[in-house]
Amino acid sequence: MDPYPTPSGSGPGGRTQPVAGVRPEILASWQRSQSLGIDQEGAALPVERDLDPDSRLIRAAAPVLNRLYERFSGVPVTVALADSRANLVERWGAPAGLELMDAASLVPGANVDERFMGTSSVSMVLSTRAPFVVVGHEHFLHDLKELTCMAAPVRDPVGGTVRGAVNLSVPRVLADPGMALVLQKATERIGERLLELSAARELELMRSFQRARERGGHAELDLGSGELYRSGGPAPRLASQEQLMLLERAVELISSAGEAFAEVPLAGSRVAVLRRRELHHGDAEGAAVEVSFEDARGTGASDRGTVTAPDGRHVPLLDRSSVTAGADAPGARTEPHAAGPTDAWLLLVGEPGVGRLAAEARGRLSLLNEAGIRLGTTLDMWRTAEELAKIAVPRFADLVVVDLVEGVLAGEEPPPGHLRPGTALRRVAAWAGEDSRGVPAGGVDEPAGYPAGTPQARCLETGRPVTDSVPTAALSGSPAGRAHPVGLLGEGVHSYLGAPLSARGSVLGLAGFYRRGRTKPYEQDDLTLAGELAARAAISVDNARRYRREHRASLTLQRSLLPHVLPRVSAAELASRYLPADARAGVGGDWFDAIPLSGMRVALVVGDVPGNGLQAAATMGRLRTAVRTLAGLDLLPEEVLAHLDDLVSRTPDESADEQDPATGTTCLYAVYDPVSCRCTAARAGHPPPAVLTPGGRARLMDLPSGPPLGLGGIQPYESATVDLPAGSLLAMYTDGLLKEDRGYGDTDVRTGRLLDSLSHGGPALEDICDRIMGTLLPGSPYDDVALLLARVHALSGDRVASWEFPSDPSVVARARALTRDQLAAWGLSELDFNTGLVVSELVTNAVRYGGRGPVCLRLLRDNSLICEVSDRSNTSPRIRRAAMTEEGGRGLFLVAQFTSSWGARYMPQGKTVWAEQVPQPEQPVPETDEQALLAMFDDSG
């Protein structure tokens, strides 16, 4: 029961209309009343003279309302009973109170609907199907502003239908909230009496039917066990499913006004024939359904007897000969005729109204069952909203509109609790049947909003289903002047039911169900059904929202971990593609990378982490970082994979029985040297790369197959080296490129298509990438796909200079001289001083600590100048802090100061120490401050 609002700005006897203190739904009702032109000083109410004074509603309510009025003896109250059409059918009250009602035209038969009277408690109850209180200043008519009117609906307990409403009016100063509770208990008692009267009518119909028929034999059809007994022996058995089919069809016949009979096929070539017969007893009108059994050839399968009805009563059998064509209705088809004698048993007796309610209840269960199957078939919020709308139309509504919170569509967490008016919504579905397909009035994918006081706003605020009557004109003012979908139903007033899409304590949006006109308003059972439908849809929407958020997070994480731009290296021209898996599988852990190495070499990497989602993306980022770290150490490809395998094999907790999520990852690691034009590669369970040499055809590189990461203890990793002439094309990819839908298909065939795409590709690498993707993946891939193409280059001989010296200190001066001459030939004399210092230090270290083998010096010129010194020692060079009294120990420190970068890489025999300088001829090289350099080695003490 709504609370009593407190008016502001008006005294006890005031007749003003303050807006403050008036609820939004009352203001909305006022606006509708004003738009209808109702006179606030005195409304002209239509009066229906032909009322049934002995209707079942009056018979059920009269004794209860008499006691209610007597309970308030001494208090100037009036009690009025209205039927479901808002017609006053009976009144109780003191003579003075009844005179006031007569003055306000509230006489028996008067229609107090909002269309004629404006805002009133009865009209609000019949509109919202819920108890309602209208306080004096909230009445639209001035004559009622001194009263507080409280009303409650009278419901039929069988189906929840609102049969009418009871209004209790009392002077505003004497109103007490306890009166509303007493009124509600009275309407509940009226509902109980309606049920009692219905049961009595059903019993009288049954007795009347029994008296009208002759009693037959004594065979018995027990619908509880499904067996038919008779003295001649056992008869056909009814299965449980057959029992249910017969009862359901009987209910449909009773509630139907046109059908006279029906046939229900049964097992064993049998057919059950159901016949409907009209019944009358006093003011009760009903129908009986008889059942007889025939085989497929029309032969009777049972004899005369008695039947056990669903309520346990033993009912006499009916003689088939007495079944006449009286049940035939105009337009009914010819009744089936059985050859030979056939007995008929009474199956069900009832009133059409009760039968209709039973049929509707069964329809609701069927609708819920269908919703359980059809709702949430995909993780798509828009698709789920469309499914909800198409399930409900036309069986439950003529129009369904679904709105979701904007943030929910973006995958954000919905605000906790209920929603306030003004919350940003977006329309995701509007469906009024096939005729509405393509109609622009739906406003789908446009902002939606509902002002305070509308039933939609009440639904979002309370978080509970609400029902109301919504005029088309009241919804014409949609945001930005857009038309509301209710316009699809035409002008007028339509029945509305709003159900919130609530899941996990939050409201995600709103589902609005509309029925054309007001001939079939939504009832209490409909509220329950709509709430269940909306709840099921909300779970699917929330699951889709959570999936979308995780999918976006995974994709964002993975894209942030992949290289945004491939580096520009002299060794090769690069191009790449990455396609995430489609919505069925989610984001995976494929990656690619290109890592510049010393000596103008480049490392090319492609890997595939098993699984999907955030964990796969995070694991991919961890492995990619590890690969870049290992690549910086200039390790051989097989050593890089061995270290990765060792990293994956070690679990986070050695005592725990778990494995690294990276277990099973495949990886391909290749290093290309533009000086020697050789590519060295190793793979861990990964497909081999494809190679296309100039003038040749594409082929797969012959590489030893190593186990996936985490399983490296099975066998060691091995690498292979191939010569790649300048202009050769190297293609590295993940296995998603070779998978068809669901991962099935002929891999050899798809590999052949890949090689063919490489062989017939154009000169531009981007075009080749597009050709490969378009040929092998015309649609969305089932698995992630990573593709890395590299067209290798060669460093020409005039950019390389190398010498070999014996391991003797005297060669240092000769090395400096050769270096000086080469720099002059290259036009890099500005680097003479620094390069000479670097060569002196590196060659000296190689002679002193490099063993007895020869010392090799190599200069590489490209965008930078690289100086490399190789020896036969595997000792690791490192910078150390030399004391003031030490003469040595400063060589590598000086190398680091005069170059942009330096490092060491190891070979199967020996090592190479390198240093790189970037020429900057436009900027003068600053003179070296010897004192500052020496000061860096001063001891503090």
Side-chain angles (χ1 to χ4, degrees):
M1 187 71 67
D2 290 340
Y4 296 106
T6 303
S8 60
S10 63
R15 299 175 64 87
T16 61
Q17 285 190 4
V19 174
V22 176
R23 287 165 287 176
E25 54 266 39
I26 298 295
L27 287 177
S29 176
W30 282 2
Q31 294 172 1
R32 295 193 295 267
S33 302
Q34 291 170 351
S35 66
L36 294 173
I38 300 174
D39 187 1
Q40 292 181 269
E41 298 300 331
L45 304 181
V47 179
E48 182 176 343
R49 302 298 181 184
D50 189 18
L51 291 177
D52 183 6
D54 194 34
S55 67
R56 186 157 39 144
L57 175 62
I58 294 179
R59 283 191 289 155
V64 177
L65 297 184
N66 273 322
R67 289 194 297 271
L68 176 66
Y69 174 69
E70 293 171 358
R71 178 167 183 172
F72 293 110
S73 178
V75 180
V77 301
T78 56
V79 178
L81 174 65
D83 61 17
S84 59
R85 296 178 299 167
N87 292 317
L88 293 182
V89 295
E90 191 58 88
R91 305 180 305 175
W92 290 264
L98 295 179
E99 289 177 3
L100 291 176
M101 295 185 71
D102 291 340
S105 299
L106 300 177
V107 298
N111 193 297
V112 295
D113 190 82
E114 183 183 76
R115 295 172 295 171
F116 312 113
M117 184 179 176
T119 307
S120 70
S121 58
V122 172
S123 64
M124 297 300 288
V125 163
L126 295 180
S127 175
T128 62
R129 293 324 197 241
F132 209 91
V133 175
V134 178
V135 182
H137 66 283
E138 293 182 328
H139 283 99
F140 187 76
L141 299 181
H142 288 308
D143 292 342
L144 302 178
K145 291 187 179 296
E146 296 300 324
L147 299 176
T148 291
C149 297
M150 53 197 77
V154 176
R155 301 185 186 279
D156 189 334
V158 176
T161 307
V162 174
R163 297 296 187 186
V166 178
N167 177 78
L168 178 66
S169 300
V170 63
R172 188 175 59 185
V173 294
L174 300 178
D176 186 341
M179 295 179 175
L181 299 177
V182 175
L183 174 63
Q184 213 164 344
K185 291 181 179 179
T187 55
E188 292 173 359
R189 176 55 186 151
I190 296 174
E192 295 173 359
R193 285 183 51 79
L194 283 174
L195 181 61
E196 294 170 1
L197 292 177
S198 297
R201 291 159 64 93
E202 294 286 333
L203 183 58
E204 290 301 325
L205 285 173
M206 175 69 73
R207 292 172 178 170
S208 175
F209 186 71
Q210 292 175 359
R211 289 192 297 266
R213 289 302 180 189
E214 296 180 356
R215 299 180 179 274
H218 298 286
E220 180 178 305
L221 174 66
D222 190 340
L223 292 179
S225 64
E227 295 184 356
L228 179 66
Y229 300 99
R230 61 176 182 156
S231 57
R237 178 183 178 85
L238 288 178
S240 58
Q241 186 64 26
E242 292 175 336
Q243 302 170 36
L244 181 61
M245 291 169 57
L246 291 179
L247 290 175
E248 288 183 351
R249 197 68 182 94
V251 169
E252 293 176 0
L253 279 178
I254 289 179
S255 59
S256 172
E259 287 188 276
F261 62 89
E263 293 181 350
V264 179
L266 304 175
S269 301
R270 294 176 300 151
V271 176
V273 179
L274 277 63
R275 294 172 178 80
R276 180 180 188 272
R277 292 184 57 81
E278 301 290 342
L279 298 179
H280 301 277
H281 180 77
D283 66 340
E285 296 184 358
V289 176
E290 306 165 349
V291 58
S292 60
F293 299 94
E294 304 171 354
D295 60 17
R297 296 174 299 277
T299 304
S302 56
D303 293 331
R304 195 177 306 173
T306 60
V307 63
T308 301
D311 59 1
R313 295 188 303 271
H314 293 276
V315 182
L317 293 175
L318 302 179
D319 188 351
R320 173 174 169 76
S321 60
S322 64
V323 179
T324 65
D328 294 343
R333 56 192 176 96
T334 305
E335 181 177 333
H337 177 70
T342 303
D343 292 324
W345 289 266
L346 177 63
L347 182 60
L348 196 63
V349 171
E351 291 185 84
V354 178
R356 178 185 63 83
L357 293 174
E360 290 178 355
R362 189 182 72 255
R364 294 187 186 101
L365 291 177
S366 175
L367 190 62
L368 283 177
N369 180 64
E370 182 178 352
I373 297 173
R374 293 176 55 186
L375 272 179
T377 57
T378 63
L379 289 172
D380 187 311
M381 288 178 275
W382 296 76
R383 180 67 178 275
T384 299
E386 292 175 1
E387 291 169 345
L388 172 63
K390 291 184 177 181
I391 288 171
V393 175
R395 297 168 58 182
F396 185 68
D398 296 316
L399 167 68
V400 176
V401 178
V402 182
D403 304 317
L404 294 180
V405 178
E406 289 276 13
V408 170
L409 287 171
E412 302 172 1
E413 284 290 339
H418 304 152
L419 300 181
R420 293 293 182 184
T423 302
L425 302 173
R426 181 165 292 272
R427 186 151 299 132
V428 293
W431 182 252
E434 292 294 335
D435 295 339
S436 68
R437 188 183 297 275
V439 178
V444 176
D445 198 18
E446 293 182 356
Y450 302 101
T454 59
Q456 293 90 341
R458 295 205 313 271
C459 177
L460 294 173
E461 282 186 293
T462 61
R464 296 192 302 271
V466 300
T467 182
D468 207 331
S469 299
V470 182
T472 304
L475 296 174
S476 60
S478 298
R482 287 181 289 269
H484 191 276
V486 76
L488 297 171
L489 302 181
E491 294 296 328
V493 180
H494 309 289
S495 297
Y496 172 79
L497 193 161
L501 299 175
S502 302
R504 300 178 176 94
S506 299
V507 177
L508 311 179
L510 170 72
F513 303 89
Y514 296 82
R515 284 179 180 168
R516 184 178 284 105
R518 300 180 65 182
T519 58
K520 191 179 180 183
Y522 287 106
E523 304 294 347
Q524 186 65 32
D525 286 349
D526 297 322
L527 286 172
T528 304
L529 175 60
E532 182 66 24
L533 288 174
R536 296 190 181 192
I539 292 297
S540 298
V541 168
D542 194 52
N543 290 338
R545 177 193 65 81
R546 288 169 173 261
Y547 169 78
R548 183 169 186 173
R549 181 183 62 181
E550 181 177 345
H551 186 270
R552 281 188 174 183
S554 302
L555 190 58
T556 301
L557 174 62
Q558 187 172 40
R559 291 191 181 277
S560 67
L561 295 175
L562 289 173
H564 297 279
V565 180
L566 290 173
R568 300 184 62 181
V569 294
S570 302
E573 177 189 357
L574 303 174
S576 64
R577 288 290 186 275
Y578 169 72
L579 290 180
D582 63 6
R584 294 173 300 177
V587 175
D590 292 14
W591 90 93
F592 61 88
D593 209 348
I595 308 169
L597 301 178
S598 63
M600 297 184 182
R601 299 169 304 138
V602 61
L604 305 175
V605 190
V606 171
D608 185 358
V609 175
N612 306 101
L614 281 172
Q615 186 178 58
T619 302
M620 177 271 290
R622 179 165 61 93
L623 291 180
R624 179 173 177 248
T625 302
V627 170
R628 294 186 69 88
T629 302
L630 294 172
L633 299 177
D634 265 324
L635 300 177
L636 296 175
E638 62 268 26
E639 294 178 352
V640 171
L641 295 183
H643 283 289
L644 282 178
D645 177 75
D646 182 61
L647 174 67
V648 174
S649 299
R650 289 178 294 179
T651 60
D653 184 358
E654 296 293 344
S655 62
D657 186 15
E658 62 181 64
Q659 65 179 14
D660 194 298
T663 301
T665 298
T666 64
C667 184
L668 173 63
Y669 187 89
V671 176
Y672 174 72
D673 187 348
V675 178
S676 64
C677 294
R678 288 185 173 183
C679 177
T680 303
R683 62 187 179 120
H686 203 85
V691 177
L692 175 65
T693 56
R697 291 192 60 84
R699 59 181 174 81
L700 294 180
M701 183 184 294
D702 187 13
L703 284 182
S705 178
L709 301 181
L711 307 174
I714 300 176
Q715 65 185 67
Y717 295 102
E718 300 179 43
S719 62
T721 302
V722 296
D723 293 327
L724 292 183
S728 297
L729 183 61
L730 183 67
M732 303 169 62
Y733 50 90
T734 56
D735 61 355
L737 190 65
L738 305 180
K739 290 180 180 179
E740 293 185 18
D741 188 27
R742 297 294 179 186
Y744 301 110
D746 192 337
T747 303
D748 293 337
V749 172
R750 295 180 66 83
T751 302
R753 293 167 63 185
L754 168 63
L755 298 178
D756 186 67
S757 299
L758 288 174
S759 299
H760 295 85
L765 292 186
E766 295 294 333
D767 294 341
I768 297 177
C769 286
D770 293 338
R771 180 184 179 88
I772 292 174
M773 291 299 182
T775 301
L776 275 76
L777 299 171
S780 299
Y782 174 72
D783 193 9
D784 279 15
V785 175
L787 174 65
L788 180 61
L789 297 183
R791 178 171 283 126
V792 299
H793 300 157
L795 193 63
S796 58
D798 60 349
R799 292 176 176 268
V800 181
S802 60
W803 303 273
E804 186 174 290
F805 307 103
S807 181
D808 189 274
S810 62
V811 302
V812 175
R814 184 164 175 255
R816 281 200 305 268
L818 292 172
T819 300
R820 187 182 309 110
D821 294 341
Q822 187 63 53
L823 292 179
W826 283 344
L828 298 176
S829 298
E830 72 274 7
L831 298 180
D832 187 16
F833 176 80
N834 291 352
T835 307
L837 177 61
V838 170
V839 169
S840 296
E841 293 297 337
L842 295 184
V843 172
T844 299
N845 285 343
V847 170
R848 286 183 177 180
Y849 311 112
R852 298 183 179 181
V855 176
C856 297
L857 171 63
R858 187 171 74 168
L859 299 179
L860 305 176
R861 176 198 173 192
D862 192 54
N863 297 327
S864 61
L865 178 66
I866 300 176
C867 175
E868 297 181 343
V869 176
S870 304
D871 58 45
R872 296 297 179 87
S873 172
N874 288 324
T875 58
S876 175
R878 58 187 179 88
I879 296 178
R880 72 182 186 88
R881 184 181 182 86
M884 286 292 294
T885 57
E886 292 181 335
E887 296 182 0
R890 298 179 176 86
L892 289 179
F893 173 78
L894 294 176
V895 170
Q897 292 295 318
F898 284 96
T899 60
S900 60
S901 60
W902 75 279
R905 65 176 181 268
Y906 298 89
M907 301 172 293
Q909 294 181 349
K911 69 177 182 298
T912 297
V913 181
W914 57 271
E916 183 176 10
Q917 303 174 74
V918 179
Q920 296 179 344
E922 69 279 1
Q923 296 181 0
V925 179
E927 296 185 2
T928 305
D929 188 353
E930 294 86 353
Q931 295 300 324
L933 288 175
L934 293 174
M936 297 180 68
F937 292 93
D938 288 346
D939 291 333
S940 58

